[in-house]
């Protein structure tokens, strides 16, 4: 009985949190920076960082389920930055293996529509193929749209968008001078990895870090942020619900 009490109180608190969130105030798009896997592994006394990566990967389907429950329609998960690919192979290779397995598992459920975002040309061919296959096999799934950010960099994304825009107009015969006269933010947004999607309403970062780390720099211009002390493998449903509740209570200002 004593052991069951904390679990019971947790479930009661969880239900109260859920009830406190107005359905009309739930964010359409939630982005999450799943940080702290390696620190979690070290704190657990593990010699192999793969232990932390596996624990972090196991949390992702739960997180997506929570998003489904409250009505979120788009989720972006920052799994691996382009900068991370410069780390030593002994750090990067296990993470890539875990990511490949995770993305394959998410696609196999037939529950979510997978959309990879990032520079696939920077990734090993086998991982790039996993991402491509996941996108193709889930293209018709009518579920939460899940952007998996692998080999992703915000500055690189904007650079690629501008490059694509210039090529597009060069093919049409548009001069640089003519393009400069009409260029606006929508022209660039139409060439981002997330084109056609709503920008993230809420960006969550775990592990207590207070920085953007080159994540969705363009798209998050007016996003609300929630920073959580928990390392990603320890991130709980109540932490998620607190983030959604905090977002719902804010008065969003698109400017100062």
């Amino acid at each position: 009985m004593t052991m069951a009490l904390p679990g019971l109180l947790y479930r009661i608190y969880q239900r109260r949190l859920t009830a406190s969130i107005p359905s009309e105030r739930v964010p359409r798009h939630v982005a999450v920076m799943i940080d702290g896997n390696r620190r979690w592994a070290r704190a657990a006394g593990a010699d192999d960082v793969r232990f932390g990566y596996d624990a972090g990967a196991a949390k992702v389907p739960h997180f997506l389920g929570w998003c489904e429950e409250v009505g979120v329609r788009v989720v972006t998960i920052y799994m691996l930055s382009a900068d991370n690919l410069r780390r030593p192979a002994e750090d990067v290779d296990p993470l890539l293996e875990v990511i490949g397995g995770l993305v394959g598992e998410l696609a196999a459920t037939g529950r979510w529509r997978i959309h990879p975002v990032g520079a696939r040309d920077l990734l090993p061919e086998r991982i790039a193929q996993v991402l491509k296959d996941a996108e193709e096999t889930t293209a018709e799934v009518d579920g939460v749209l899940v952007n998996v950010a692998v080999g992703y960099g915000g500055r690189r994304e904007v650079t690629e968008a501008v490059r694509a825009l210039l090529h597009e107009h060069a093919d049409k015969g548009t001069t640089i001078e003519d393009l400069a006269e009409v260029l606006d933010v929508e022209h660039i947004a139409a060439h981002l990895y997330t084109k056609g999607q709503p920008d993230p309403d809420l960006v969550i970062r775990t592990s207590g870090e207070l920085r953007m780390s080159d994540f969705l720099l363009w798209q998050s211009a007016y996003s609300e942020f929630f920073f959580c002390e928990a390392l990603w493998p320890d991130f709980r449903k109540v932490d998620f619900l607190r983030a959604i509740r905090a977002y719902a209570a804010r008065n969003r200002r698109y400017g100062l």
Side-chain angles (χ1 to χ4, degrees), residues 17-59:
L17 277 174
T18 302
S20 70
I21 301 169
S23 59
E24 71 276 9
R25 298 284 292 171
V26 170
R28 293 176 301 167
H29 183 172
V30 172
V32 60
M33 307 169 76
I34 56 175
D35 193 22
N37 296 312
R38 292 192 300 169
R39 275 176 281 166
W40 185 88
R42 288 195 295 268
D47 295 327
D48 188 352
V49 294
R50 173 74 184 253
F51 183 66
Y53 297 150
D54 285 334
K59 181 68 62 174

Side-chain angles (χ1 to χ4, degrees), residues 93-228:
D93 289 349
L95 178 54
L96 285 170
E97 289 180 16
V98 171
I99 289 172
L102 171 61
V103 172
E105 290 171 10
L106 295 178
T109 67
R111 185 174 170 184
W112 303 294
R113 181 155 58 99
I114 308 300
H115 177 61
V117 296
R120 297 189 209 180
D121 58 300
L122 298 180
L123 301 173
E125 185 176 346
R126 69 185 187 283
I127 301 300
Q129 188 62 48
V130 168
L131 296 174
K132 182 174 184 292
D133 291 345
E135 182 172 35
E136 291 177 351
T137 58
T138 64
E140 302 302 321
V141 172
D142 184 24
V144 173
L145 172 60
V146 181
N147 298 311
V148 289
V150 183
Y152 176 85
R155 289 180 175 180
R156 183 185 180 96
E157 179 184 18
V158 175
T159 301
E160 289 185 5
V162 173
R163 185 181 295 117
L165 175 65
L166 292 174
H167 281 307
E168 176 187 294
H169 282 271
D171 291 341
K172 295 177 180 178
T174 308
T175 67
I176 290 295
E177 290 77 14
D178 289 340
L179 179 57
E181 287 294 323
V182 299
L183 182 65
D184 62 22
V185 295
E186 296 305 322
H187 288 99
I188 296 175
H191 292 81
L192 296 173
Y193 300 142
T194 57
K195 61 186 176 184
Q197 302 178 19
D199 288 337
D201 301 296
L202 173 65
V203 178
I204 299 171
R205 180 164 190 161
T206 59
S207 84
E209 300 293 347
L210 306 177
R211 58 178 182 270
M212 285 300 297
S213 299
D214 203 22
F215 182 48
L216 298 180
L217 298 181
W218 180 282
Q219 296 92 329
S220 64
Y222 297 110
S223 300
E224 298 292 324
F225 292 85
F226 185 87
F227 298 100
C228 179

